[in-house]
Amino acid sequence: MALKLYYNLMSQPSRALYILLKATKCNFESNYVDLRKGEHFTEGFSKINRLQKIPVIDHNGLLLSESVAIVNYLSREGLIPETLYPRVSRTRALVQEYLEWQHVGLRLHCAMYFRVKYLDPILLGRTPSEEQIKGYEERMVSALELLETKWLGRGTDFIVGNNITVADLWAACELEQPRMAGFDAKDKFPNIATWWAKVRQNFNPHYDEAHIILNKIVQKQQKASKL
Amino acid sequence: MALKLYYNLMSQPSRALYILLKATKCNFESNYVDLRKGEHFTEGFSKINRLQKIPVIDHNGLLLSESVAIVNYLSREGLIPETLYPRVSRTRALVQEYLEWQHVGLRLHCAMYFRVKYLDPILLGRTPSEEQIKGYEERMVSALELLETKWLGRGTDFIVGNNITVADLWAACELEQPRMAGFDAKDKFPNIATWWAKVRQNFNPHYDEAHIILNKIVQKQQKASKL
């Protein structure tokens, strides 16, 4: 098969790519990378991606990592519909402006909160102090305020105008991550709540399918916190 | 004039864009943003970029931030030569893979080291502990090791093959930043040292011109540390 995707649905950009390919009926070979077993650190996987990270695609022999580079490439190759990733240069520029901003503007802070509060205690047995969690939460909330007011809340339905694009899908998948650590952005941010529901609806049933395991973890955490 | 650049040469991606436009003889109106005076936080500048960051371009009325989104846009508009930003889809994908990796893979760590060790003491009067500096330095060194071995050190002259691209210029400008805080990557990393000299040479005299103030600060710091 021409296109292979190496991914794990616990990874935000993996989910974004997986949902995009499913929603656009792009045919691909599914290669699940077992992060719990450290499969991304094996010699075999290092030949797929020397940086030992997912997602990765193999497209007719081209190995490519970094989800934003991947979606740009797939769009150039005609595999992503123009509706989701506009080809008009100015509109595309605004979609890319968001995708570039997201790395440190949003993703870093949501991912670090998830890692410190949820993942490190499980993987490393390292329990963060209340003060540490508060610091990570404050930085994440500041980032979410920018999403709420500077990218959303501008009188349009989506991040770039009134049409949904890959920028919205990439952003939504990042916001799912801190839910596993007990933080749901829609509780605090009304613009995010309204927009997020639309993104989910637009990409369903694939959005929910990609988040099955994540949502089970969220439910388990919620039950545990009520005990 | 069709293209305006809002920038400050103390900002890494501002320097990268400035050098690129100068080196490719792209005509642009120069708009210096005085970060020391907090000009990026003014109401006037917020109309240029609501996120209050530089660099920003104004191209016939399109306001665009994020240097990677900007270079992609300028390339689509035919303002960046193909030699520096290949149009062949697979080669372009590899250049973009680096540019996407760089945000958190390299830039974050070099910028944080610079900020904590050099900038915060000046701007906030906040002196970091030896232990804090060590932590930031270790994370930066790990990032530089990836640049040294996974992006360079693969038998080619540049990050993507034997031709210099925007990936090299963007990377080089990031590495200049920690020099102001007393860390020079070429002292520890031979592949980086060889490559860095070639990038500088290729983009000179514009590379050195964009780094005049930065290099003065480096010299001042070196003198002070010898006292």
Side-chain angles (χ1 to χ4, degrees):
Chain A
M1 189 178 291
L3 181 66
K4 298 177 189 172
L5 175 67
Y6 295 84
Y7 71 105
N8 183 301
L9 294 177
M10 285 299 283
S11 134
Q12 308 87 301
S14 283
R15 291 196 299 271
L17 264 179
Y18 176 90
I19 294 164
L20 181 66
L21 294 176
K22 286 277 181 182
T24 58
K25 297 188 172 49
C26 181
N27 206 9
F28 68 96
E29 183 187 298
S30 174
N31 289 275
Y32 205 80
V33 180
D34 196 334
L35 302 178
R36 283 174 312 175
K37 289 185 181 161
E39 200 182 332
H40 50 313
F41 294 127
T42 61
E43 207 183 317
F45 188 76
S46 298
K47 285 177 185 160
I48 306 291
N49 181 10
R50 68 195 184 283
L51 296 161
Q52 305 180 318
K53 287 166 74 183
I54 50 164
V56 183
I57 60 161
D58 178 342
H59 187 236
N60 297 320
L62 173 74
L63 292 164
L64 189 65
S65 67
E66 291 295 331
S67 71
V68 177
I70 292 171
V71 76
N72 284 344
Y73 171 77
L74 293 176
S75 168
R76 280 198 304 277
E77 296 295 313
L79 295 170
I80 307 293
E82 194 177 340
T83 46
L84 288 173
Y85 203 179
R87 286 186 182 278
V88 174
S89 182
R90 293 189 157 213
T91 317
R92 171 164 288 224
L94 298 175
V95 172
Q96 292 192 341
E97 183 184 45
Y98 173 78
L99 292 172
E100 298 304 324
W101 174 83
Q102 177 181 284
H103 287 279
V104 176
L106 182 72
R107 170 171 165 72
L108 176 71
H109 304 291
C110 291
M112 286 306 293
Y113 177 82
F114 163 73
R115 183 169 138 184
V116 169
K117 195 174 166 199
Y118 176 83
L119 210 58
D120 283 355
I122 295 173
L123 295 185
L124 309 173
R126 191 161 64 195
T127 309
S129 67
E130 284 299 315
E131 200 187 332
Q132 280 174 320
I133 293 175
K134 202 181 150 212
Y136 284 102
E137 185 170 325
E138 280 171 1
R139 288 188 285 277
M140 177 176 67
V141 166
S142 296
L144 290 166
E145 275 166 4
L146 292 178
L147 180 62
E148 173 81 3
T149 60
K150 303 294 179 188
W151 295 100
L152 302 173
R154 297 188 289 159
T156 59
D157 285 346
F158 296 102
I159 289 174
V160 178
N162 285 315
N163 297 314
I164 197 164
T165 68
V166 290
D168 301 291
L169 179 57
W170 258 242
C173 288
E174 290 300 330
L175 299 195
E176 297 289 347
Q177 214 71 358
R179 289 180 60 229
M180 290 185 277
F183 186 96
D184 196 327
K186 66 178 167 289
D187 296 340
K188 287 198 179 185
F189 298 102
N191 294 335
I192 290 177
T194 308
W195 156 87
W196 202 353
K198 281 187 279 195
V199 178
R200 182 185 164 208
Q201 186 183 26
N202 189 88
F203 285 104
N204 260 343
H206 312 291
Y207 191 93
D208 281 353
E209 187 220 322
H211 289 94
I212 286 175
I213 303 168
L214 186 148
N215 281 323
K216 279 186 185 163
I217 294 172
V218 174
Q219 284 167 11
K220 202 176 150 188
Q221 291 292 103
Q222 284 172 342
K223 274 186 196 166
S225 69
K226 281 178 192 158
L227 290 179
Chain B
M1 190 178 289
L3 182 66
K4 297 177 189 172
L5 176 67
Y6 294 84
Y7 71 105
N8 183 301
L9 294 176
M10 285 298 283
S11 136
Q12 308 88 300
S14 283
R15 291 195 299 271
L17 264 178
Y18 177 90
I19 294 164
L20 181 65
L21 294 176
K22 286 277 182 182
T24 58
K25 297 186 173 49
C26 181
N27 205 9
F28 67 97
E29 181 187 299
S30 175
N31 288 275
Y32 204 79
V33 180
D34 196 333
L35 301 178
R36 283 174 311 175
K37 289 187 182 162
E39 200 183 331
H40 50 313
F41 295 128
T42 60
E43 208 183 315
F45 188 76
S46 298
K47 285 177 186 161
I48 306 292
N49 180 11
R50 67 195 186 283
L51 296 160
Q52 305 180 321
K53 289 166 73 182
I54 52 162
V56 183
I57 59 161
D58 177 343
H59 186 235
N60 297 321
L62 173 74
L63 292 165
L64 189 67
S65 67
E66 291 295 331
S67 71
V68 177
I70 292 171
V71 77
N72 285 343
Y73 171 77
L74 293 176
S75 169
R76 280 198 304 278
E77 298 295 312
L79 296 170
I80 308 292
E82 191 176 344
T83 46
L84 288 173
Y85 203 180
R87 285 184 183 277
V88 173
S89 183
R90 291 189 160 215
T91 316
R92 172 165 286 226
L94 297 176
V95 173
Q96 292 193 340
E97 183 183 45
Y98 173 79
L99 291 172
E100 298 303 324
W101 174 82
Q102 176 181 283
H103 288 279
V104 176
L106 183 72
R107 170 172 166 71
L108 176 71
H109 305 292
C110 292
M112 285 307 292
Y113 177 83
F114 163 73
R115 183 170 137 182
V116 168
K117 195 174 166 201
Y118 176 82
L119 210 56
D120 284 355
I122 296 173
L123 294 185
L124 309 173
R126 192 161 62 195
T127 310
S129 68
E130 283 299 315
E131 200 187 332
Q132 280 175 319
I133 293 175
K134 202 181 151 213
Y136 283 102
E137 185 169 327
E138 280 171 3
R139 288 188 284 278
M140 178 176 66
V141 167
S142 296
L144 290 166
E145 274 166 5
L146 291 178
L147 180 63
E148 173 80 2
T149 61
K150 304 294 180 187
W151 294 100
L152 302 172
R154 297 187 289 160
T156 59
D157 285 346
F158 295 102
I159 288 175
V160 177
N162 285 316
N163 296 315
I164 197 165
T165 67
V166 290
D168 301 290
L169 179 57
W170 259 241
C173 288
E174 291 300 330
L175 299 194
E176 298 288 347
Q177 214 72 357
R179 289 179 62 228
M180 288 184 280
F183 185 96
D184 196 326
K186 64 178 170 291
D187 296 340
K188 288 198 177 185
F189 298 103
N191 294 334
I192 289 177
T194 308
W195 156 88
W196 202 355
K198 281 187 280 196
V199 179
R200 182 184 164 210
Q201 186 183 26
N202 189 89
F203 285 104
N204 259 346
H206 312 291
Y207 192 93
D208 281 353
E209 186 220 321
H211 288 96
I212 286 175
I213 303 167
L214 186 148
N215 281 322
K216 279 188 185 163
I217 294 173
V218 173
Q219 284 166 11
K220 201 176 150 187
Q221 291 292 107
Q222 283 171 343
K223 274 186 196 166
S225 70
K226 280 177 192 158
L227 289 181

